[in-house]
Amino acid sequence: MTLFSLANKVALVTGGNGGIGRALALGMQEAGARVAVTGRNADKNRAVAAELAQEGAVFVLDVRSEAAVEEVIAAVMARFGRLDILVNNAGIGGGGPMMEMSREDWDDVMAVNLTGSFLCAKHAARAMTAQGRGGKIINIGSMYSMFGPDSFVDYGASKTAVLGLTRGLAVELAQHNIQVNAILPGWFVTDMTQEIYESDLGERIRRKTPAGRWGADEDIVGTGVFLASAASDFVTGTAIPVDGGYLVTDRLMHG
Ligand code: NDP
């Protein structure tokens, strides 16, 4: 369907070499986009390169460095000639009792999850406004953008701030026809959550989730394509949970 087609679009997905980022990258590719991804791990970068249709579409990037972000956005523009969609997906978990949390660990979670998203949005928006065709920025938040996690205050604060970033960018970039929205994933099985998935807690999460299961790659794609496509041209500054109902349930944790 044309409304949801990403034909002729170029998308950049940070942290797109695995997990939710890879799922979004491949989903957008299937919807017609030419897709570039970033990652740091060489093995994961090699693996995703084999799945992407375009040559030279994987860029090494640490989102904590503004110089590196600027360089990669310029490299994507040089390689593909345009940039229409940015997915700020790169993220780390953090966690631990707050009274023992070090300043360095706190700063690192903020640097990747919040500042990295700001930096990528800043340089992507410059490229998008220069080409004058509008664009889409999708920030990956979390259920912990919405409620207080136990022993993950750094992660929760960073992901709540991602909502503030989303709203501010949406207002400021609307004049350039750039829509900015967030996706709030529920519990998805990825490298970040594999250990929890395999533990007793993983089973309790499954039972608490109204859908009765954890999220899989294909569950995130539809919302990503919607927010990247013309179908969402009048949707901006909002956040869409993709969580099997986890955010709205008051079902008690059994067992
Ligand atoms: P993964 O650990 O599989 O993916 C994280 C990605 O971020 C990797 O590609 C990693 O690249 C990249 N990354 C980490 N640090 C940096 C950095 N400093 N610079 C650039 N890239 C970096 O986890 P998920 O797929 O689960 O997470 C993706 C996003 O989804 C994150 O923002 C996470 O917070 C969010 N999320 C995940 C949920 C889940 O249940 N899985 C739930 C809610 C939100 P590399 O491996 O090469 O370092």
Side-chain angles (χ1 to χ4, degrees):
M1 189 187 195
T2 315
L3 200 55
F4 293 92
S5 169
L6 302 183
N8 305 318
K9 305 288 185 191
V10 171
L12 173 64
V13 182
T14 67
N17 62 3
I20 287 172
R22 172 182 164 276
L24 286 169
L26 297 181
M28 288 181 187
Q29 175 167 280
E30 207 175 320
R34 288 181 292 152
V35 177
V37 306
T38 80
R40 298 175 308 167
N41 179 290
D43 291 339
K44 288 166 64 183
N45 283 356
R46 246 191 313 277
V48 78
E51 298 178 290
L52 292 173
Q54 313 296 317
E55 295 283 316
V58 181
F59 299 85
V60 176
L61 174 65
D62 187 327
V63 296
R64 293 171 295 190
S65 157
E66 180 160 14
V69 167
E70 197 171 0
E71 214 172 281
V72 164
I73 299 284
V76 170
M77 290 299 288
R79 168 70 184 83
F80 295 100
R82 59 189 289 158
L83 178 63
D84 305 282
I85 300 153
L86 167 71
V87 183
N88 274 319
N89 165 79
I92 55 174
M98 68 81 64
M99 283 186 277
E100 271 120 60
M101 195 172 280
S102 71
R103 170 69 193 261
E104 288 69 30
D105 287 348
W106 167 273
D107 283 347
D108 205 34
V109 170
M110 291 299 160
V112 179
N113 295 357
L114 178 60
T115 310
S117 297
F118 160 67
L119 294 173
C120 292
K122 172 181 167 182
H123 291 284
R126 282 185 177 180
M128 289 170 183
T129 52
Q131 69 196 3
R133 282 189 288 254
K136 304 280 184 178
I137 297 176
I138 302 169
N139 297 323
I140 304 301
S142 164
M143 289 170 294
Y144 297 130
S145 302
M146 305 301 280
F147 47 61
D150 190 3
S151 300
F152 278 94
V153 69
D154 49 358
Y155 185 77
S158 73
K159 290 296 187 178
T160 303
V162 163
L163 292 186
L165 179 71
T166 302
R167 293 178 188 126
L169 292 175
V171 171
E172 191 169 340
L173 296 176
Q175 63 187 310
H176 302 292
N177 192 26
I178 297 172
Q179 289 80 49
V180 187
N181 292 287
I183 297 176
L184 312 183
W187 289 96
F188 277 71
V189 191
T190 67
D191 286 355
M192 190 183 277
T193 56
Q194 186 71 37
E195 219 171 285
I196 298 175
Y197 176 68
E198 287 167 3
S199 71
D200 290 349
L201 178 57
E203 172 58 12
R204 277 186 281 142
I205 287 167
R206 186 192 69 72
R207 290 165 65 184
K208 182 176 172 183
T209 303
R213 63 181 178 83
W214 279 57
D217 284 1
E218 58 273 21
D219 292 312
I220 204 82
V221 171
T223 307
V225 169
F226 165 63
L227 291 177
S229 71
S232 62
D233 278 356
F234 203 54
V235 178
T236 198
T238 196
I240 303 181
V242 180
D243 65 351
Y246 194 97
L247 262 179
V248 295
T249 183
D250 68 350
R251 186 183 297 179
L252 296 175
M253 301 270 270
H254 302 291

